[in-house]
Amino acid sequence: MRSRAFAVALVVGLLLLPLLLPLLRRPAPTQVWLRRHPGVVPLYVENGVYLCTLRFDGAEADCVVDTGSPHLLLAGRSCRSCDDPTSLRVTKTPTETLAYGSQSSRVAWRVGVLRVGAARVPDVRAALTREMEGETQYNILGLARGALQRALAPRRFAVAMLGDRGLLAIGARDVRALRRRHYAGRVARVPLLRSARPMYAVAGALRAGAAVWSGTVLVDTGSNFLSCPPRVLDALRPSLDAHAPIALELRTVAGDALTLTFGPEIYRHAASGTLLLEDDETDVVVLGSFFMRHLALEFDDEHLGIARVVAE
């Protein structure tokens, strides 16, 4: 009798197994998963850029995760021209002006303790803003190569842009966890160029049918545009006017071509008309976050890793 009951239970279990397996494989809810991986910090989107919440000397601040800047920039309490001031007092006279695109900040420096997710980093140098000018006014977590990046994420970090939200993973362990949960396919590794600039630079070619430009591409999550020298934008204009796709081709360490294609649904914007920006002060192309909204970027000393992502 007992063996018969066992046999029935076994048959029922085998019948239910195909229904149970998807439930067992389903990722843990986001908040539970984040608690398991304290080195992963949630990001939210505002005006096309990705922001995280951090603390500096106990003061909370929402900051753009910016691979185009090496600085921690925070609006001081007394900054009347700042949209999002922190509770930090600017006790010293501003001594320097920092420029970020259309944003210009008059700053004084302060050393304190930075907390990003589970990471606690002492002796971090922050630029506190007393006066700010420009169309955009953001606090900045600068993760370009420099003292702040070496202190916070010395070996590896990743930024996963999941459409209207994102994740910042600090350290190799949590970058691997991010891969398992959100990457759709392999990571293509592109060699970083050696440069005096702190930003992450790779070699690339822009194409609209035929190649129209090849040179240095700066990967800048703090921008939401694709910025080009005038001659590059002029060469692309016929394709843009025809709403044809353009492509950015990168060469991986394996010798393969990694092609990122941007259709008009990406490079055209209802309000501004186009998200391609002419910059006559540079000879490089700057790849901004609007053009990477479904990519994960991994940064280490020598390579940029790029993978396509899925939200869940």
Side-chain angles (χ1 to χ4, degrees):
M1 187 74 178
R2 186 174 298 172
S3 61
R4 183 180 177 185
F6 175 77
V8 171
L10 180 61
V11 171
V12 172
L14 291 173
L15 291 173
L16 291 175
L17 189 60
L19 300 175
L20 293 174
L21 279 177
L23 297 176
L24 295 174
R25 291 173 181 163
R26 184 177 297 169
T30 301
Q31 294 304 318
V32 175
W33 184 80
L34 287 172
R35 285 197 294 271
R36 292 176 184 168
H37 301 283
V40 180
V41 180
L43 309 178
Y44 68 93
V45 179
E46 186 175 293
N47 293 326
V49 291
Y50 289 79
L51 296 90
C52 71
T53 301
L54 55 78
R55 300 186 75 85
F56 181 77
D57 274 359
E60 187 174 283
D62 291 334
C63 297
V64 173
V65 176
D66 187 357
T67 59
S69 166
H71 304 303
L72 176 62
L73 176 72
L74 302 171
R77 186 172 70 182
S78 59
C79 182
R80 295 182 179 179
S81 57
C82 296
D83 289 342
D84 190 18
T86 68
S87 60
L88 295 165
R89 293 182 62 191
V90 184
T91 58
K92 297 180 180 179
T93 302
T95 58
E96 192 173 343
T97 299
L98 299 180
Y100 296 85
S102 64
Q103 176 176 319
S104 177
S105 300
R106 190 74 177 149
V107 304
W109 295 93
R110 170 171 168 173
V111 176
V113 177
L114 172 65
R115 291 181 180 271
V116 184
R120 180 185 182 277
V121 188
D123 302 325
V124 169
R125 194 166 178 250
L128 301 187
T129 301
R130 179 170 285 178
E131 302 170 29
M132 186 179 292
E133 297 179 353
E135 297 176 10
T136 58
Q137 299 187 0
Y138 283 112
N139 299 313
I140 302 291
L141 174 62
L143 290 178
R145 288 180 285 198
L148 175 58
Q149 172 264 323
R150 289 192 296 270
L152 180 62
R155 293 177 180 84
R156 181 173 295 171
F157 70 93
V159 182
M161 288 162 280
L162 307 169
D164 60 357
R165 65 186 184 88
L167 294 166
L168 167 66
I170 300 169
R173 174 181 176 273
D174 286 307
V175 169
R176 289 193 296 269
L178 188 64
R179 282 184 192 175
R180 291 192 295 269
R181 185 176 177 88
H182 285 291
Y183 288 19
R186 68 183 183 88
V187 181
R189 298 171 73 233
V190 179
L192 290 172
L193 301 177
R194 297 191 179 277
S195 171
R197 299 175 178 176
M199 288 189 282
Y200 301 95
V202 296
L206 273 174
R207 299 181 181 275
V212 298
W213 172 88
S214 60
T216 299
V217 179
L218 303 181
V219 181
D220 184 4
T221 60
S223 170
N224 49 16
F225 294 102
L226 183 69
S227 300
C228 307
R231 61 184 177 84
V232 178
L233 195 57
D234 289 343
L236 291 174
R237 203 172 300 282
S239 295
L240 301 177
D241 291 342
H243 294 192
I246 60 175
L248 174 64
E249 186 177 287
L250 307 175
R251 189 64 57 178
T252 71
V253 293
D256 304 324
L258 171 65
T259 302
L260 305 177
T261 302
F262 314 122
E265 74 281 0
I266 296 175
Y267 66 70
R268 300 197 71 82
H269 193 269
S272 61
T274 180
L275 292 170
L276 273 78
L277 186 68
E278 182 178 301
D279 188 348
D280 57 6
E281 296 183 0
T282 183
D283 58 351
V284 303
V285 164
V286 179
L287 182 65
S289 59
F290 256 123
F291 294 79
M292 302 184 286
R293 285 176 64 83
H294 298 287
L295 296 178
L297 308 177
E298 294 185 4
F299 299 87
D300 62 30
D301 288 339
E302 297 182 352
H303 302 98
L304 168 68
I306 303 176
R308 301 193 184 278
V309 292
V310 290
E312 289 293 347

